[in-house]
Structure formats: C-alpha cells, structure tokens
Amino acid sequence: MFADRMKALEAETPFEALAKAKALEKQGKKIIHLEIGEPDFDTPKNIKDAAARALRAGYTHYTPSAGMLEVRQAIAEYISKTRKLDVEAEEVVVTPGAKPVMFFSVLALVNPGEEVMYPNPGFPVYESVIKFVGAKPVPIPLREKNEFSFDPEYVKEKITKKTKMIILNSPENPTGGVISREQLNVLADCLENRDDVFVLSDEIYSRIIYEGSSGSIAQLPGMKDKTIILDGFSKTYAMTGWRLGYGVMRKDLAGKMAQLMTNSNSCTNAFVQLAGIEALRGPQTEMEKMVAEFKRRREVIVGGLNRIKGVTCKKPHGAFYAFPNITGTGMDSRSLGDYLLQNAGVAVLPGISFGQYGEGYLRLSFANSVENINKALARIETSLEMR
Ligand SMILES: Cc1ncc(COP(=O)(O)O)c(C=O)c1O
C-alpha cells in the first residue's frame, strides 16, 4: 500500500524512547527524562509577549513562502554579525523549525545515486533523508580519541566524483564535539576545485558552546556560495514547540527552497516569525543564563558519570548532551538503555540510534535540573551494581 520511498524514512528514536518511558509512567513508575533534546527552560517572556502582540495586531495570515522580509532581514543581520559574513535578506529562507532546511537542501540538490557524507554518530534525520532521495549515505566516523570532532583527512579520502553534499554539525548532537577552525580549513581547501559539492552546516547549537568556538565554514574563502547554514530558535531560545528555523544560502538555491516551502507548508506561521525578530534583537540575558546553567550541569553530569564503574565520559564542548563510553559495563548500548529504563527509572538514548559508530555509548541530555541529574546518576550507579 505505501510508496517504496517510505521504507527509507526512519522514525526518530528520541520520540520512540519517550513513548516507552511514558508507557512506564502510566503504570505508576517515576522516570527521570534524560532522553529528549530540548531545553527544559521556558521561552523568554519578551519573545512570548512579541508573539502575543503580533497575534493581536492581526498577523494571522499567509506570508511569502521564504518568510516576511523584515524577518529575513533580522536573520541576515544576525548571521552577518555572529558569523562575520555579509548576508542579505534574499539569502535567507524561514522555515517551520530548522529540520525542513535539512530535508529541503537534500531534495533541492541531491540526485539518486549521488553520495552524501554525514557525521556518525549524528542526528538520525541526516541518514534518513539521504536514503529517502535514493542517494548513498557515506558516514564520517566521529571518534572519541579525536574528541568526537571529525577527521578532515578521512573526508578527503572518501570524497568521490559522486559526492554532492557534506553535512557538518558543530557543536554536535549527540557527542558535543566541536569542529576546529583548522579542520574546517582542511575541508575548505579540499573543496577548492569542487563547485559541485555543497556543505550543509548544521549550526543549530552554535550559541550553546562552552569552549573552542570555530565559526562557520561559510566564512572561509570560496565557501559561502557552497554552504547552507542551518540554524534556528528551538535550542537557543528554548522554542522547540514554536517551530521556527531558517537556512542561509546563495540566492538561486534560496529560490528553490522557497518553492519547496510553497509546495509543502506555504509559509511559516506569521506571528511566530515576528516573535523571531524579538528573539534576535531583544535582550539576550535569559539565553545567556540558560547556557551558563547548562555549563554548570555539564560539570555535574560528567563528574558523576566518571565515578560510575564501567563508564567514562569526556566533557562535551557544546550542546547539552553527555556521551559516555559504556563499553566497560559489558553491555551494548540498546540493552543498557533498556536496563536503565526498567531498573533505574532513567530514560536515556542508546548510542547506536545515532548510527553504527555510536555503539558503545549512551546519550544523556542535561536539559534537566541538577537535582534530577544527581538523582539519575545515583539510580544508574545503584542499578549497575545490582546486576
Ligand atoms: C543537530 C540538530 N539539527 C537540527 C535539529 C532540529 O531543530 P528544529 O527543532 O528547529 O527543527 C535538531 C533537533 O534536535 C538537532 O539536534
């Protein structure tokens, strides 16, 4: 009954894991949620107020597919400032969340049979959409010994005539790895004579970074026209449910992406777009407080994990996930994830759900209170001792 292409799409494991945990909660179990990747903070009040004002002012209709001009201008101004790039409004496409930028970039640029390189372990949607368009996914392994950053020499070796796109994600989900400027330089050099290869640079965690900021590959000579910057409001401003994101890319590609918007969503919600202007231009104090709190929690969770027998954990440099090595427990990531849910009442994600190179790890989100993190760590330790 279903079209063949549907076989290629993968369900996103965090949502599946949440469903499992919710089922246990229905039976009366108390679960600590460290599986879902969204800030546990409320959206700052100034942003909510701006949306309410826009709603009352009648912004309840369609907007242009690529977004309202003033919103695209505010995003262009923000990207120009934060990435030290000259970006114009016409190079910005506003989307309902940042995820569509992933999907639309691949739909607009990649033909069946072409190759797309992507980080592994990495955000599962990359591999899913690459397969969906009939292209070949080529994983870029991210290794713990390299601080989970990617190895540009490996990428250099694996680039072929068929390579059409390279996906980067820094800071990275699930590892917290950050790509250094030197690594970006090597990649940019190797793409110098390949104007047919595009880079999708997923910078959704660009503001949630604790050390080692590398900037964007779009800043490097010759790279702006070959790069699509993916960013948005979900993580930075605790706005996951609002669905507001954007892509920044050359104008002809922005036109194609606007067509994809016309054919799928028509446009992004009008009053939500206007709230985006307030998020970017209004006070940044709430966001800064949130990042400072994530940094504090990082110390708690990494310290705690390293005290558990069989577990070691490197400090993530960005995002809000710890990615401990669990090989010392003797269990694979899926069995350990299930064991912890059932026996410790702690929901985490198995590393394998982020690709084959994620085996041997778990992802624990620290978008939860220090109190809950400490409780979860104690429960994990006890349940592992009881095996
Ligand atoms: C690496 C990465 N990119 C993109 C997204 C999608 O963001 P949005 O909620 O704005 O669609 C996420 C969300 O989890 C993510 O982790």
Side-chain angles (χ1 to χ4, degrees):
M1 169 177 112
F2 299 113
D4 291 344
R5 72 176 72 87
M6 290 308 293
K7 292 192 194 106
L9 276 191
E10 268 158 43
E12 207 182 313
T13 333
F15 292 100
E16 276 174 12
L18 182 67
K20 268 196 215 169
K22 292 271 179 218
L24 283 177
E25 277 172 338
K26 268 215 166 121
Q27 298 166 18
K29 268 203 135 179
K30 290 250 180 302
I31 306 293
I32 302 176
H33 291 275
L34 303 184
E35 79 280 43
I36 279 278
E38 61 175 343
D40 54 319
F41 295 84
D42 196 5
T43 306
K45 185 175 178 303
N46 62 312
I47 302 174
K48 286 190 188 175
D49 288 347
R53 272 197 310 276
L55 194 51
R56 277 196 295 270
Y59 286 92
T60 54
H61 295 277
Y62 290 133
T63 78
S65 302
M68 293 159 75
L69 187 60
E70 57 267 48
V71 181
R72 296 168 81 194
Q73 264 158 355
I75 294 168
E77 177 190 294
Y78 169 78
I79 292 291
S80 301
K81 196 170 89 192
T82 52
R83 313 306 202 272
K84 300 183 182 60
L85 268 176
D86 259 341
V87 172
E88 294 172 35
E90 292 75 18
E91 294 170 300
V92 175
V93 180
V94 185
T95 49
K99 246 184 204 172
V101 176
M102 234 170 257
F103 208 2
F104 294 165
S105 301
V106 174
L107 279 177
L109 289 165
V110 183
N111 281 310
E114 290 180 332
E115 295 175 2
V116 180
M117 304 181 81
Y118 69 103
N120 186 324
F123 194 51
V125 175
Y126 304 141
E127 190 179 331
S128 179
V129 298
I130 297 165
K131 287 187 184 156
F132 189 73
V133 300
K136 183 180 166 195
V138 180
I140 308 169
L142 304 183
R143 310 267 189 205
E144 186 179 351
K145 64 174 174 11
N146 300 332
E147 298 271 313
F148 296 112
S149 188
F150 87 130
D151 175 1
E153 296 300 335
Y154 180 91
V155 176
K156 241 168 137 173
E157 245 170 62
K158 295 283 174 184
I159 288 181
T160 72
K161 279 201 191 91
K162 288 191 178 162
T163 305
K164 187 59 183 280
M165 183 179 280
I166 299 171
I167 302 177
L168 303 179
N169 177 209
S170 178
E172 215 243 358
N173 174 12
T175 64
V178 168
I179 305 176
S180 72
R181 180 54 79 122
E182 297 72 50
Q183 288 162 327
L184 291 180
N185 280 332
V186 177
L187 184 59
D189 280 351
C190 112
L191 294 179
E192 197 183 341
N193 300 314
R194 288 294 302 266
D195 287 343
D196 56 327
V197 178
F198 284 79
V199 174
L200 173 62
S201 182
D202 184 338
E203 302 175 14
I204 194 96
Y205 295 102
S206 57
R207 302 299 293 271
I208 306 175
I209 187 157
Y210 313 112
E211 60 256 327
S213 170
S214 56
S216 172
I217 191 162
Q219 293 166 273
L220 302 182
M223 286 308 298
K224 189 181 163 213
D225 269 1
K226 294 187 222 174
T227 304
I228 301 144
I229 296 178
L230 173 155
D231 203 344
F233 298 76
S234 298
K235 316 283 174 177
T236 310
Y237 298 104
M239 290 173 70
T240 45
W242 292 62
R243 309 314 298 140
L244 186 62
Y246 53 87
V248 178
M249 67 212 80
R250 54 195 250 186
K251 289 178 193 167
D252 53 351
L253 181 55
K256 298 289 177 205
M257 214 167 273
Q259 279 178 358
L260 285 164
M261 274 296 290
T262 308
N263 281 274
S264 54
N265 296 287
S266 292
C267 65
T268 304
N269 177 315
F271 57 87
V272 166
Q273 286 189 54
L274 281 180
I277 300 185
E278 173 63 25
L280 296 178
R281 292 194 180 142
Q284 303 293 305
T285 38
E286 290 302 309
M287 182 270 283
E288 284 157 6
K289 266 196 240 162
M290 179 180 83
V291 176
E293 177 60 17
F294 281 146
K295 194 169 180 189
R296 186 168 86 93
R297 294 173 185 177
R298 174 180 73 149
E299 302 303 318
V300 174
I301 197 162
V302 171
L305 285 166
N306 278 316
R307 281 192 287 276
I308 298 174
K309 202 164 157 259
V311 177
T312 58
C313 187
K314 290 245 161 70
K315 252 190 207 181
H317 299 303
F320 39 73
Y321 311 108
F323 201 62
N325 184 324
I326 47 101
T327 46
T329 63
M331 287 172 94
D332 64 60
S333 64
R334 216 176 276 286
S335 314
L336 183 56
D338 284 342
Y339 179 84
L340 294 179
L341 182 63
Q342 296 292 341
N343 297 283
V346 179
V348 300
L349 290 182
I352 188 76
S353 62
F354 297 92
Q356 71 264 42
Y357 297 101
E359 186 46 61
Y361 299 88
L362 292 179
R363 190 192 81 170
L364 287 76
S365 161
F366 45 92
N368 207 325
S369 64
V370 166
E371 189 192 347
N372 278 338
I373 291 169
N374 276 327
K375 216 185 277 175
L377 289 166
R379 286 198 200 172
I380 293 172
E381 189 165 16
T382 315
S383 77
L384 283 177
E385 277 165 7
M386 280 183 346
R387 274 184 307 164

